[in-house]
């Protein structure tokens, strides 16, 4: 005989999906029955036995339907077998004990059962207890095992023996010595941890595949082993990464963070080298294609091209939040004040709408000496006196002084600004001594001196001393003529 | 007097047509019901606190590397195969039938049947320390090769101008979404209180095919839309006072109008009224600021020479110079459109051997000058220049209606084209992505227009997945549900 409903058909799953809805009815009913029983027995309330029996009847009916729906839902598969088994038998237990409790309470049946009153309370107690355990297992099945306790705060966390909260590994830490790194442990596994393990782990094994250990990759999932050692092109995990993102079989699924080209190159390379478990980079053949990807793992280098990390050190500074009143005072003076970015308290201040801003108003900046990172005072009335105040903005990173009256004397104050990377001195009276002063600042990356009093010879001299510093002096009549000629001559040559 | 009043009454009645009646019934009654429903859900006043003087910035997710953007759009789409994407192999295929695999399942705007391949018309060489490939079409750009990041593997979804321009600038090929510039000002705010945060300058004799929507504000409050300024004559029409009206009188007029508008706003709470108020105030301030910033007569002669402009002319070169002046005055987003790059090969003007060369001659020097000019003013580091078009052009010669064309032309091509960026946090002297040996399809590091948008937003400090605006019940973003930041181009 065939029971069509018991196959994993559309109908079965349709009804099965009602399990999470139905399951809450017996939970509620049973607890009500238990509470009524307690209240009745302690004499706190006045309810008849038939009322309790009525609630118990519907608890039992609800539990039975929840069991049926739950079984149908489980046919869809994808659950941890052991946990599912526990949950099922506890659920069935709830239904059975609820029926027993009702039988012992009902007017029709209670008197026919010997020792009835003695087993009534244990039956009700067991049904209630099983409700809790079955409910917990059900929650674990749906949301994952550590869902309930994931955010347990200290000190309860250590008291309950829960391991410390794992930080989400979104960034892979750079490797100090790539040559000596163990390929699987130090390179492959962190990539898998970052991009794959979230869905392929002990408690959640999508496609029956776990990727948290090498042996489990070899074991594979529904589609066979995750890779074929020596043949990346035939390896499922690589093939899936290379499918178009819109493809249903593409991994990681659309919308999740994807592997970078370099990461795929590294995984392919490891597989092509026979997927060794404990070989180091230096023991394997490093192809030209994988070299840049390997280099990107090292400390202090970005993925390709530039060698210097361009993120300013100042951006990782933790400074206290600015006082709103101080910011309001700046805004009243016509300055724009904006936060640099979320999660930090640095600010940028611009006087673009305050052309009359002058030395006297500089005092407004003083209370924000830690927070101001970018300061734009171009086209204002400030003079050298203002630079003494600016020198106190110890976390200053970018400074615009173009089209102001500042001179060499004022610039001498700025020497101790450790984070200053950009200074704009276009159309100022600053001359060669000023350029030399700012060039001696260690962190400085670019200085703009077009239409200032800085001479070309000083620019070339300072450039030689500080080859990493970008000094831009720009065009004048003569160099523009050269620029025009350069374009014209190449044009004519080609024609 | 009485006659005048009668006329007014009559005009008023004329305006009250049946359609108006139905409209106000439908909307009015519906709105009554809806309004009470919606008032409880969400913050209905979000984004209504706007005045042009104070378009407040949101706090970006990362510290912005590009504080301003100059987006140069070559409307019509120049051929990447003549300018930047050097394909020596294509020379060998010149005049031969297009391989069948290029045509299977593909649709083109005009190409029919089996077209012939068309070899590159420019002479290519490598320039700068970075060895960037460029042709003799762009001799001036060669001099700034080391400032530029090329993206040679761009691709898009649309092969007609208007939808492709919309997709590029608004993230959707359909109308109604805010443009990149509108998002930028919405996010980072407007700095110079006397100038709009988003200014549009067009040249080439025509507007972009997709019309004003490519710089519209979509569902964002309309204060964020691009304000188009004319390049020659009055920069903004009707912004100057008529003779006999002094500035004081103008001010009083605007104050009176704004007061009425403010009262209306209190009655109906339509945030667009706030926009209208702020536009009036902005227009009043622009009467002073715009003529000043758009006036190039005070620029030194060698600067004018550099761009190749004469005061008073309304050319692309002038727009480049104005773009520099605008970002120098802290305008957030300057959008340049230059029309006339659609090289199909149907006439002497629109082909890739002569017409394209002419367009390049008019634009190459000012673009190189713009890069140099921004650099020497210390503005290039914080200003992102984006150059490109809505799509690219085919490696095949166009054969419209199956005929041989009088000039060498290429059809619209969505699978591969080149764009470049400079300044504003992108690498200097770098080339990203590769196309196959005939330049038909990107084979390495393909970049979709949504990826480009995500990257530009990233450079401006915004995570394109978190930078959203609630509209019609869901959060919208520029890149819709797509887009990946191209980290490799970021310095």
């Amino acid at each position: 005989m065939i029971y069509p409903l018991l196959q994993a058909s559309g109908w079965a799953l349709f009804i099965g999906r009602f399990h999470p809805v139905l399951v809450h009815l017996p939970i509620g009913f049973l607890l009500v029955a238990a509470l009524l029983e307690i209240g009745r027995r302690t004499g706190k309330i006045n309810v008849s036995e038939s009322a309790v029996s009525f609630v118990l009847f519907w608890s039992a009916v609800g539990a039975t339907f929840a069991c049926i729906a739950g079984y149908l839902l489980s046919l869809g598969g994808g659950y941890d077998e052991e946990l599912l088994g526990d949950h099922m038998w506890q659920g069935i237990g709830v239904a059975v004990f609820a029926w027993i409790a009702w039988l012992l309470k009902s007017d029709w049946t209670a008197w026919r059962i010997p020792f009835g009153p003695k087993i009534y309370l244990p039956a009700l107690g067991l049904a209630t207890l099983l409700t809790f355990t079955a409910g917990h297992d059900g929650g674990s099945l749906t949301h994952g095992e550590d869902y309930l306790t994931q955010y347990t705060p200290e000190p309860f966390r250590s008291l309950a023996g829960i391991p410390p909260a794992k930080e989400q590994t979104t960034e892979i830490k750079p490797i100090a010595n790539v040559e000596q790194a163990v390929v699987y442990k130090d390179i492959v596994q962190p990539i898998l941890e970052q991009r794959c393990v979230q869905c392929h782990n002990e408690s959640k094994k999508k496609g029956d595949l776990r990727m948290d250990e090498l042996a489990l990759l070899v074991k594979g999932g529904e589609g066979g082993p995750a890779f074929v050692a020596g043949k990346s092109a035939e390896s499922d995990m690589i093939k899936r990464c290379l499918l178009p993102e819109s493809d249903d079989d593409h991994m990681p699924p659309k919308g999740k963070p994807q592997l970078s080209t370099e990461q795929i190159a590294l995984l392919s390379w490891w597989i092509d080298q026979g997927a060794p478990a404990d070989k180091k980079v230096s023991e394997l053949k490093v192809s030209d294609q994988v070299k840049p990807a390997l280099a990107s793992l090292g400390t202090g280098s970005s993925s390709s091209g530039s060698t210097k990390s361009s993120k300013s050190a100042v951006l990782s500074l933790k400074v206290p939040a600015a006082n709103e009143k101080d910011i309001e005072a700046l805004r009243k003076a016509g300055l724009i004040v904006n936060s640099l970015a979320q999660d930090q308290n640095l600010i940028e201040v611009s006087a673009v709408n305050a052309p009359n801003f002058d030395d006297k108003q500089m005092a407004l900046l003083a209370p924000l000496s830690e927070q101001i990172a970018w300061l734009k005072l171009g086209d204002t009335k400030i003079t050298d006196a203002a630079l003494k105040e600016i020198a106190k903005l110890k976390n200053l990173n970018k400074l615009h002084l173009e089209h102001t009256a500042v001179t060499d004397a004022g610039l001498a104050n700025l020497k101790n600004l450790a984070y200053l990377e950009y200074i704009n001195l276009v159309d100022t009276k600053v001359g060669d001594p000023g350029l030399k002063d700012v060039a001696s600042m260690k962190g400085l990356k670019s200085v703009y001196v077009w239409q200032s009093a800085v001479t070309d010879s000083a620019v070339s001299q300072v450039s030689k001393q500080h080859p990493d510093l970008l000094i831009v002096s720009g065009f004048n009549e003569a160099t523009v003529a050269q620029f025009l000629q350069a374009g014209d001559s190449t044009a004519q040559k080609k024609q | 007097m009485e006659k005048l009043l009668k006329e007014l009454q009559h005009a008023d009645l004329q305006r009250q047509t049946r359609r108006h009646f139905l409209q106000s019934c439908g909307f009015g009654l519906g709105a009554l019901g809806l309004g009470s429903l919606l008032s409880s859900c969400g913050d209905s006043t979000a984004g209504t606190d706007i005045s042009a003087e104070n378009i407040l910035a949101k706090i970006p997710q990362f510290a912005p590397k590009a504080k301003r953007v100059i987006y140069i759009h070559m409307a019509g789409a120049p051929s990447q195969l003549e300018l930047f994407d050097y394909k020596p192999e294509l020379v060998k295929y010149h005049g031969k039938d297009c391989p069948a695999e290029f045509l299977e399942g593909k649709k083109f705007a005009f190409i029919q049947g089996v077209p012939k391949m068309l070899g590159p018309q420019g002479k290519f060489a490598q320039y700068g320390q970075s060895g960037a490939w460029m042709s003799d079409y762009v001799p001036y750009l060669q001099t700034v090769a080391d400032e530029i990041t090329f993206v040679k593997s761009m691709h898009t979804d649309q092969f007609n101008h208007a939808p492709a321009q919309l997709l590029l600038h608004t993230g959707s090929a359909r109308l109604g979404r805010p443009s990149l510039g509108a998002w930028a000002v919405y996010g980072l705010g407007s700095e110079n209180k006397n100038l709009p945060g988003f200014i549009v300058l067009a040249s080439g004799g025509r507007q972009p095919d997709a019309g004003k929507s490519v710089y519209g504000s979509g569902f964002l409050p309309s204060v964020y839309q691009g304000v188009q300024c004319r390049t020659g004559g009055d920069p903004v029409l009707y912004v100057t006072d008529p003779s006999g009206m002094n500035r004081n009188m103008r001010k009083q007029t605007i104050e009176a109008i704004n007061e009425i508008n403010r009262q209306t706003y209190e009655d109906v709470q339509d945030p667009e009224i706030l926009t209208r108020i702020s536009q009036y105030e902005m227009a009043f301030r622009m009467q002073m600021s715009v003529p000043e910033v758009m006036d190039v007569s005070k620029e030194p002669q060698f600067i004018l020479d550099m761009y190749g402009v004469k005061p008073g002319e309304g050319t692309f070169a002038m727009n480049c110079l104005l773009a520099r002046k605008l970002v120098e005055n802290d305008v957030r987003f300057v959008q340049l459109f230059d029309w006339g790059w659609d090289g199909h090969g149907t006439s002497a003007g629109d082909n890739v051997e002569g017409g394209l060369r002419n367009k390049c001659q008019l634009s190459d020097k000012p673009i190189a000058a713009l890069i140099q000019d921004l650099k020497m003013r210390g503005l290039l580091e914080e200003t992102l220049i984006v150059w490109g078009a809505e799509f690219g052009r085919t490696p095949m010669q166009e054969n419209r209606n199956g005929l041989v064309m009088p000039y060498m032309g290429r059809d619209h091509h969505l699978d591969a084209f080149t764009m470049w960026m400079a300044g504003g946090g992108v690498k200097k002297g770098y080339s990203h992505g590769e196309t196959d040996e005939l330049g038909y399809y990107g084979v390495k590091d393909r970049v979709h227009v949504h990826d480009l948008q995500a990257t530009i937003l990233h450079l401006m400090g915004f995570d394109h997945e978190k930078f959203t605006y609630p509209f019609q019940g869901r959060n919208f973003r520029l890149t819709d549900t797509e887009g990946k930041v191209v980290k490799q181009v970021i310095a």
Side-chain angles (χ1 to χ4, degrees):
Chain A
M1 198 169 162
I2 299 160
Y3 302 94
L5 267 180
L6 297 184
Q7 315 296 317
S9 64
W11 270 104
L13 289 176
F14 170 71
I15 298 171
R17 292 277 166 105
F18 280 88
H19 176 68
V21 179
L22 290 171
V23 79
H24 292 93
L25 301 176
I27 295 175
F29 292 167
L30 261 176
L31 291 179
V32 169
L35 283 173
L36 287 177
E37 196 62 57
I38 293 168
R40 199 174 67 84
R41 301 217 166 203
T42 53
K44 294 258 196 269
I45 50 168
N46 191 8
V47 280
S48 66
E49 299 220 11
S50 66
V52 179
S53 140
F54 179 76
V55 176
L56 275 173
F57 173 75
W58 286 108
S59 308
V61 171
T64 308
F65 278 111
C67 283
I68 294 169
Y71 180 71
L72 295 176
L73 182 62
S74 74
L75 296 177
Y79 299 99
D80 184 308
E81 291 290 329
E82 200 180 321
L83 196 58
L84 183 67
D86 288 354
H87 176 65
M88 182 175 83
W89 288 112
Q90 285 163 8
I92 291 172
V94 171
V96 168
F97 286 112
W99 280 118
I100 292 175
W102 172 72
L103 283 171
L104 298 171
K105 201 74 181 173
S106 159
D107 291 344
W108 305 325
T109 49
W111 59 274
R112 296 173 209 244
I113 301 169
F115 312 112
K118 278 189 185 151
I119 31 180
Y120 167 71
L121 274 187
L124 179 60
L126 267 173
T128 315
L129 187 72
L130 286 172
T131 307
F132 281 101
T133 58
H136 177 68
D137 284 351
S140 300
L141 280 173
T142 320
H143 301 295
E145 295 215 40
D146 57 351
Y147 180 77
L148 191 62
T149 54
Q150 193 181 0
Y151 293 102
T152 312
E154 292 291 356
F156 307 107
R157 197 172 189 99
S158 28
L159 284 177
I162 305 165
K166 236 201 257 174
E167 270 187 41
Q168 294 222 315
T169 45
T170 47
E171 288 294 322
I172 294 176
K173 285 196 189 103
I175 302 170
N177 186 349
V178 177
E179 281 292 301
Q180 289 305 308
V182 178
V183 180
Y184 176 74
K185 186 169 81 54
D186 296 331
I187 297 173
V188 173
Q189 189 58 32
I191 296 174
L192 300 180
E193 291 278 346
Q194 187 192 31
R195 296 282 180 247
C196 316
V197 167
Q198 196 196 3
C199 296
H200 299 287
N201 58 41
E202 197 181 346
S203 51
K204 193 174 180 186
K205 335 176 222 229
K206 291 276 179 141
D208 211 21
L209 173 68
R210 280 177 61 175
M211 301 185 78
D212 44 343
E213 281 172 38
L214 180 54
L216 296 165
L217 284 174
V218 178
K219 180 166 162 264
E222 280 166 9
F227 63 83
V228 183
K231 290 173 185 168
S232 65
E234 292 170 28
S235 298
D236 204 33
M237 60 187 254
I238 301 295
K239 278 198 290 190
R240 283 171 181 271
C241 290
L242 294 174
L243 286 170
E245 210 179 318
S246 50
D247 196 303
D248 277 349
D249 290 330
H250 175 85
M251 283 291 147
K254 192 179 176 195
K256 301 259 181 186
Q258 299 292 314
L259 281 88
S260 68
T261 325
E262 279 109 1
Q263 288 176 326
I264 297 175
L266 287 167
L267 295 183
S268 306
W269 169 68
W270 170 70
I271 292 171
D272 286 334
Q273 296 292 318
D278 44 16
K279 290 250 170 66
K280 291 178 182 164
V281 172
S282 54
E283 294 172 71
L284 299 179
K285 213 178 108 204
V286 176
S287 63
D288 282 343
Q289 283 155 318
V290 82
K291 262 181 197 158
L294 277 175
S296 73
L297 297 169
T299 40
S301 67
S302 64
S303 50
S304 53
S306 76
T307 47
K308 235 182 2 197
S309 165
S310 70
K311 197 182 172 201
S312 303
V314 72
L315 295 177
S316 36
L317 278 186
K318 297 264 179 284
V319 300
N323 189 336
E324 274 304 316
K325 271 187 201 154
D326 299 330
I327 289 183
E328 217 32 61
L330 285 187
R331 290 200 171 127
K332 269 203 192 112
L335 300 180
I336 299 175
V337 185
N338 283 331
S339 293
L340 241 54
Q342 285 170 7
D343 309 325
Q344 47 130 306
N345 296 317
L346 295 170
I347 56 173
E348 85 169 296
V349 175
S350 165
V352 59
N353 293 323
N356 293 319
F357 189 82
D358 59 17
D359 296 345
K360 273 178 252 156
Q361 289 170 288
M362 284 302 293
L364 291 169
L365 301 178
L368 298 162
S369 65
E370 275 188 277
Q371 287 84 14
I372 297 176
W374 298 350
L375 181 60
K376 187 162 188 174
L377 296 178
D379 276 308
T380 60
K381 301 232 156 82
I382 60 158
T383 68
D384 283 342
L387 290 174
K388 278 191 196 126
E389 293 296 319
I390 290 175
K392 293 176 193 159
L393 309 176
K394 58 180 186 178
N395 295 328
L396 199 61
N397 177 238
K398 293 185 187 182
L399 179 58
H400 283 265
L401 298 172
E402 63 270 26
H403 315 295
T404 58
V406 299
T407 70
D408 294 338
L411 279 187
N413 291 307
L414 302 182
K415 278 178 193 162
N416 292 326
L417 291 174
Y419 292 104
L420 195 69
E421 291 179 8
Y422 169 105
I423 187 164
N424 193 328
L425 303 170
V426 167
D427 186 24
T428 58
K429 303 240 161 58
V430 172
D432 297 348
L435 176 65
K436 280 169 196 163
D437 269 348
V438 293
S440 66
M441 298 167 71
K442 283 230 168 59
L444 201 70
K445 287 182 181 161
S446 44
V447 52
Y448 294 87
V449 292
W450 184 57
Q451 291 194 333
S452 68
V454 173
T455 60
D456 286 349
S457 63
V459 170
S460 58
Q461 189 196 342
V462 175
S463 297
K464 265 178 215 143
Q465 285 163 357
H466 304 276
D468 285 341
L469 180 64
L470 175 73
I471 307 171
V472 181
S473 51
F475 284 153
N476 51 33
E477 282 82 349
T479 42
V480 159
Q482 275 172 22
F483 165 75
L484 295 177
Q485 220 176 359
D488 280 344
S489 66
T490 42
Q492 280 155 13
K493 212 163 46 200
K494 296 280 158 53
Q495 271 168 2
Chain B
M1 191 63 198
E2 203 181 333
K3 204 178 159 204
L4 265 177
L5 274 176
K6 237 183 204 160
E7 207 178 298
L8 181 72
Q9 211 172 13
H10 185 66
D12 204 36
L13 285 172
Q14 269 183 332
R15 258 182 262 123
Q16 293 286 345
T17 60
R18 186 172 55 109
R19 193 169 293 175
H20 279 93
F21 173 72
L22 288 174
Q23 195 181 15
S24 19
C25 280
F27 275 124
L29 294 178
L32 270 179
L34 253 182
S36 60
L37 267 176
L38 291 179
S39 60
S40 56
C41 55
D43 183 7
S44 62
T45 56
T48 53
D49 182 26
I50 39 171
S51 69
E53 195 173 339
N54 197 18
I55 297 181
L56 285 178
K58 318 283 168 297
I59 301 176
Q61 273 95 25
F62 336 101
K65 293 186 175 199
K67 295 195 61 200
R68 290 167 293 270
V69 177
I70 297 176
Y71 196 120
I72 304 170
H73 187 112
M74 300 319 209
S79 165
Q80 75 282 7
L81 296 163
E82 265 63 45
L83 302 181
F84 306 117
D85 202 13
Y86 179 46
K87 294 293 150 192
E89 201 62 17
L90 192 56
V91 180
K92 293 183 204 156
Y93 278 81
H94 181 75
K96 294 194 179 133
D97 277 354
C98 175
E101 71 255 31
F102 283 0
L103 304 171
E104 265 168 35
K106 293 282 177 185
K107 271 188 188 162
F108 297 93
F110 294 101
I111 282 177
Q112 292 167 345
V114 180
K116 304 272 192 253
M117 302 306 284
L118 176 59
Q121 299 301 303
K123 290 196 186 72
F124 279 84
Q126 286 180 288
Y127 295 93
Q129 289 183 334
S130 55
W133 285 101
M134 292 191 215
S135 79
D136 56 341
Y137 280 50
V138 287
Y140 286 97
L141 199 68
Q142 293 161 5
T143 64
V144 289
D146 286 337
E147 299 292 339
I148 296 176
T149 279
F150 290 94
V151 181
K152 296 198 171 162
S153 51
M154 290 296 304
H155 64 112
T156 180
D157 306 335
Q158 297 289 332
F159 63 53
N160 281 317
H161 296 292
Q165 288 167 359
L166 281 172
L167 181 65
L168 182 71
H169 290 285
T170 73
S172 166
R174 279 158 226 96
L175 295 165
R177 300 283 182 86
S179 55
L180 179 58
W183 280 110
V185 181
Y186 172 67
L188 288 178
S190 182
E191 290 195 311
N192 189 325
K193 64 175 183 184
N194 296 324
L195 289 169
F198 179 12
I199 291 183
V200 183
L201 301 166
S203 55
R206 273 173 66 175
Q207 298 290 316
D209 303 62
K212 295 185 188 316
S213 299
V214 281
Y215 50 89
S217 55
F219 44 70
L220 292 177
S222 47
V223 70
Y224 298 112
Q225 71 189 315
V227 174
Q228 190 176 356
C229 292
R230 302 192 328 150
T231 316
D234 269 1
V236 181
L237 283 177
Y238 316 120
V239 85
T240 44
D241 291 323
S243 59
M245 180 178 231
N246 63 26
R247 196 158 160 77
N248 218 4
M249 198 164 148
R250 171 70 83 184
K251 191 174 180 194
Q252 286 170 348
T253 314
I254 286 173
E255 274 168 4
I257 294 172
N258 279 350
E259 189 45 45
I260 296 170
N261 280 339
R262 215 162 271 130
Q263 282 167 14
T264 317
Y265 174 72
E266 269 153 34
D267 285 348
V268 299
Q269 297 283 315
D270 181 354
E272 282 303 296
I273 298 173
L274 290 180
T275 296
R276 172 54 67 96
I277 293 171
S278 70
Q279 301 292 51
Y280 269 112
E281 287 168 352
M282 174 59 87
F284 181 68
R285 289 193 300 269
M286 277 166 66
Q287 287 189 311
M288 299 294 281
S289 60
V290 167
E292 191 184 311
V293 75
M294 303 294 266
D295 174 19
V296 300
S297 60
K298 284 185 200 125
E299 291 288 316
Q301 187 58 40
F302 73 93
I303 296 285
L304 297 179
D305 291 344
M306 206 168 134
Y307 286 88
V309 293
K310 288 182 203 76
E313 64 181 15
T315 57
F316 176 78
M318 178 62 87
N319 287 355
C320 285
L321 175 55
L322 291 175
R324 188 273 288 168
K325 284 179 64 83
L326 290 169
V327 298
E328 199 174 26
N329 281 280
D330 287 281
V331 171
R332 185 67 70 191
F333 202 101
V334 181
Q335 175 80 55
L336 302 191
F337 286 106
D338 187 50
W339 189 86
W341 294 84
D342 196 13
H344 285 285
T346 52
S347 71
D350 75 339
N351 58 63
V352 297
E353 78 266 41
L356 180 60
R357 210 177 266 280
N358 291 340
K359 285 301 285 181
C360 284
Q361 259 170 23
L362 293 173
S363 64
D364 175 43
K365 183 158 74 174
I367 290 175
L370 176 63
I371 294 178
Q372 290 283 15
D373 199 7
L374 288 175
K375 187 179 176 185
M376 67 198 193
R377 285 166 205 270
L379 296 169
L380 189 61
E381 276 188 42
E382 298 181 334
T383 307
L384 177 68
I385 303 179
V386 185
W387 178 98
E390 58 268 31
F391 40 60
R393 313 224 59 112
T394 55
M396 297 87 83
Q397 181 166 10
E398 184 169 324
N399 61 349
R400 191 175 294 206
N401 303 325
L403 302 172
V404 179
M405 311 290 282
Y407 298 92
M408 289 190 203
R410 301 181 186 275
D411 202 356
H412 307 169
H413 190 47
L414 47 81
D415 283 318
F417 61 105
T418 302
M419 291 187 71
W420 61 254
M421 294 182 269
V426 297
K427 280 184 183 153
K428 293 176 174 188
Y430 175 66
S431 178
H432 182 77
E434 282 169 27
T435 55
D436 59 38
E437 54 187 19
L438 296 181
Y440 186 91
Y441 199 82
V443 290
K444 191 180 162 221
D445 297 330
R446 300 185 81 208
V447 178
H448 189 267
V449 290
H450 282 132
D451 303 332
L452 177 81
Q453 291 157 353
T455 310
I456 295 173
L457 286 182
H458 181 93
L459 289 166
M460 300 192 83
F462 288 96
D463 178 340
H464 70 106
E465 291 183 348
K466 292 181 184 149
F467 185 38
T468 59
Y469 188 84
F471 177 65
Q472 290 188 334
R474 81 157 163 111
N475 285 338
F476 279 83
R477 48 184 238 223
L478 173 61
T479 50
D480 203 355
T481 59
E482 312 280 333
K484 276 182 289 188
V485 174
V486 187
K487 290 254 165 74
Q488 293 97 320
V489 305
I490 297 169

